[in-house]
Amino acid sequence: MGTIFITGASGGLGGHVTRRLLQDGWTLQAAVHRREAADLLARQFSGFPIQVSVVDITRRDEVENWMRTAADMDGLVHLAGGFRGGGELSASSDADYDFLFNLHARATFYLLAAVMPILKKRGGGAIVTVAARTALRPGKEAALYAASKAAELTLTLAAAEEGRPYQVRANCIVPAVIRTPANMDGAPEKEIARWTDPADIAECIAFLVSDRGKSVTGAQIPMYGGIPA
């Protein structure tokens, strides 16, 4: 198939996506933030064509060093993300802002800035990122999270326009709440049943990076499950 670079491979969504892409025959270059996660992922997928690196994607130099192995890159799947400071704007801190915008806006900028020249020179490829419903429909809480995810979405759509003449596709999946262990902890079962199954997102990503998705670019794909739009 080819080689996909993937961030957030060890997360609640990342495990499903990693397994699905490996099953499709992709070779993966995975970036995780901690050595413990790298070791666990390497053991979990022992025997599969996956190389795991510890990369701080909020640092441009580390992203560029990681991408130096990307001569044969066919695409990027950017899953890494996080949440902090879910209260109102007046209750949010500078630390909340820095954490969220570094992880979502800055990291996405660094990744796309590194990936686009490689894929344009190659003459094609696929990029998939994951934003959040709140980026499109922000409420009175979690404004910083919403804004940082909106930045990730906008950067992805801009990459799609830049990549069109070169057959480089970029799309963003927009879930509401993903049914991951971290999100499910302490949540009512009735609510969990409405959330998006991570395996469904993995299927969508597998489609988008494959030749089956070759006509799809510049899309923001809502995957809300049972939560109203």
Side-chain angles (χ1 to χ4, degrees):
M1 291 286 286
T3 300
I4 297 289
F5 279 59
I6 180 171
T7 73
S10 61
L13 173 61
H16 290 267
V17 176
T18 297
R19 184 171 300 280
R20 185 66 179 82
L21 295 178
L22 289 171
Q23 288 173 345
D24 275 358
W26 292 102
T27 295
L28 298 185
Q29 292 281 352
V32 297
H33 189 56
R34 299 183 308 276
R35 172 51 57 189
E36 296 83 357
D39 293 341
L40 179 62
L41 196 65
R43 289 195 300 271
Q44 184 180 0
F45 294 104
S46 176
F48 287 92
I50 179 172
Q51 181 173 332
V52 187
S53 303
V54 178
V55 183
D56 182 352
I57 59 172
T58 69
R59 288 184 51 178
R60 191 166 202 162
D61 60 336
E62 294 202 18
V63 169
E64 291 176 347
N65 284 337
W66 183 45
M67 292 293 172
R68 287 203 173 96
T69 64
D72 298 323
M73 175 195 286
D74 294 274
L76 168 73
V77 174
H78 175 33
L79 307 176
F83 185 82
R84 182 184 287 184
E88 296 180 344
L89 274 172
S90 57
S92 300
S93 68
D94 288 355
D96 296 334
Y97 181 95
D98 290 342
F99 173 80
L100 292 168
F101 275 83
N102 280 338
L103 186 55
H104 299 142
R106 185 184 298 273
T108 302
F109 163 54
Y110 289 161
L111 289 162
L112 295 180
V115 166
M116 289 299 294
I118 297 169
L119 295 184
K120 286 161 69 175
K121 183 178 180 179
R122 178 185 177 278
I127 296 166
V128 182
T129 64
V130 178
R133 175 182 176 272
T134 187
L136 302 176
R137 299 177 59 86
K140 66 178 182 179
E141 297 181 344
L144 294 181
Y145 176 77
S148 66
K149 280 295 189 180
E152 183 170 349
L153 171 61
T154 299
L155 289 166
T156 305
L157 298 181
E161 297 311 309
E162 180 181 335
R164 281 186 194 277
Y166 305 91
Q167 308 303 312
V168 176
R169 299 176 282 114
N171 297 286
C172 187
I173 294 174
V174 186
V177 184
I178 305 173
R179 200 180 300 141
T180 63
N183 288 337
M184 289 190 296
D185 186 22
E189 290 187 11
K190 185 177 180 180
E191 287 298 310
I192 293 173
R194 302 168 64 205
W195 297 350
T196 304
D197 190 327
D200 293 341
I201 297 177
E203 286 292 331
C204 185
I205 291 174
F207 167 78
L208 290 171
V209 299
S210 74
D211 286 342
R212 304 189 308 276
K214 64 184 178 181
S215 296
V216 184
T217 190
Q220 46 192 28
I221 303 168
M223 297 191 71
Y224 299 161
I227 297 176

